Amino acid sequence: MIPAMESVSSSLRLLAAAGCAGLLISICAPAPALAADRKEAAFGKGGTGAYLTRDQLRGCLARQDKVRQQADEMTREQAALTELKAAIAKSGEQLKARLETLDRTNAEAVQAYNDEAGARDKQIDDYQARVDAYNAKVEASRAEKDAFGKGCDNRRYFEEDEIAIRREKK
């Protein structure tokens, strides 16, 4: 009777071990399944390597927003500068036409012409100052874009992290 007990107890041990192994498998199995179910995204074309942490992703998203905002500002400013340049060119043509018909014996007419030419010169100076400021902003924008490229471009992240970060902003 003792030998039979040993076989029952060893059978129970095997069942218990198999049960524990099954329990361990069921506990560990969902974790890889969850990672596989997570949708990934990337800046640029994507890449390999470690995923961005939420803090890193938060920084990259902020930097990306800043790059986009600066690009929009540069586009608007460039359009305004182009318009101002055209207006200055037009006023120059008008002044040139007036000069041809200017009565140089009339002091008031000469003074009015000189005042308009002075106003145009001030417009040119203001335009040049805006161009210089624009060029400085372009350089800063390029630096920000390069920093984004080095730190974030072709880096992977999980979409759920991006969604959570965007919800935080609201």
Side-chain angles (χ1 to χ4, degrees), residues 58-77:
R58 187 176 288 111
C60 287
L61 290 172
R63 185 164 265 161
Q64 183 182 46
D65 290 345
K66 186 174 182 178
V67 167
R68 285 182 182 155
Q69 179 185 13
Q70 287 175 338
D72 291 344
E73 288 174 9
M74 296 298 107
T75 301
R76 284 191 300 272
E77 182 66 13

Side-chain angles (χ1 to χ4, degrees), residues 97-119:
R98 281 194 57 210
L99 182 60
E100 292 174 5
T101 61
L102 181 65
D103 179 12
R104 292 188 172 99
T105 60
N106 184 345
E108 290 176 2
V110 170
Q111 184 59 41
Y113 176 84
N114 287 339
D115 289 345
E116 287 182 35

Side-chain angles (χ1 to χ4, degrees), residues 46-157:
T48 58
Y51 289 91
L52 291 171
T53 65
R54 265 200 194 177
D55 287 338
Q56 290 170 328
L57 179 59
R58 187 176 288 111
C60 287
L61 290 172
R63 185 164 265 161
Q64 183 182 46
D65 290 345
K66 186 174 182 178
V67 167
R68 285 182 182 155
Q69 179 185 13
Q70 287 175 338
D72 291 344
E73 288 174 9
M74 296 298 107
T75 301
R76 284 191 300 272
E77 182 66 13
Q78 186 177 27
L81 287 171
T82 301
E83 188 178 309
L84 183 57
K85 183 178 180 180
I88 291 170
K90 184 177 179 181
S91 70
E93 291 171 6
Q94 291 171 343
L95 281 173
K96 186 176 180 181
R98 281 194 57 210
L99 182 60
E100 292 174 5
T101 61
L102 181 65
D103 179 12
R104 292 188 172 99
T105 60
N106 184 345
E108 290 176 2
V110 170
Q111 184 59 41
Y113 176 84
N114 287 339
D115 289 345
E116 287 182 35
R120 181 175 181 273
D121 289 344
K122 183 171 178 358
Q123 274 185 321
I124 292 170
D125 292 342
D126 291 345
Y127 170 80
Q128 190 58 50
R130 280 182 71 178
V131 167
D132 293 342
Y134 172 79
N135 288 337
K137 287 179 183 178
V138 167
E139 288 303 315
S141 179
R142 279 189 187 142
E144 186 66 29
K145 188 175 181 179
D146 289 345
F148 172 79
K150 288 178 183 173
C152 304
D153 204 20
N154 295 327
R155 296 287 308 271
R156 300 180 305 165
Y157 59 90

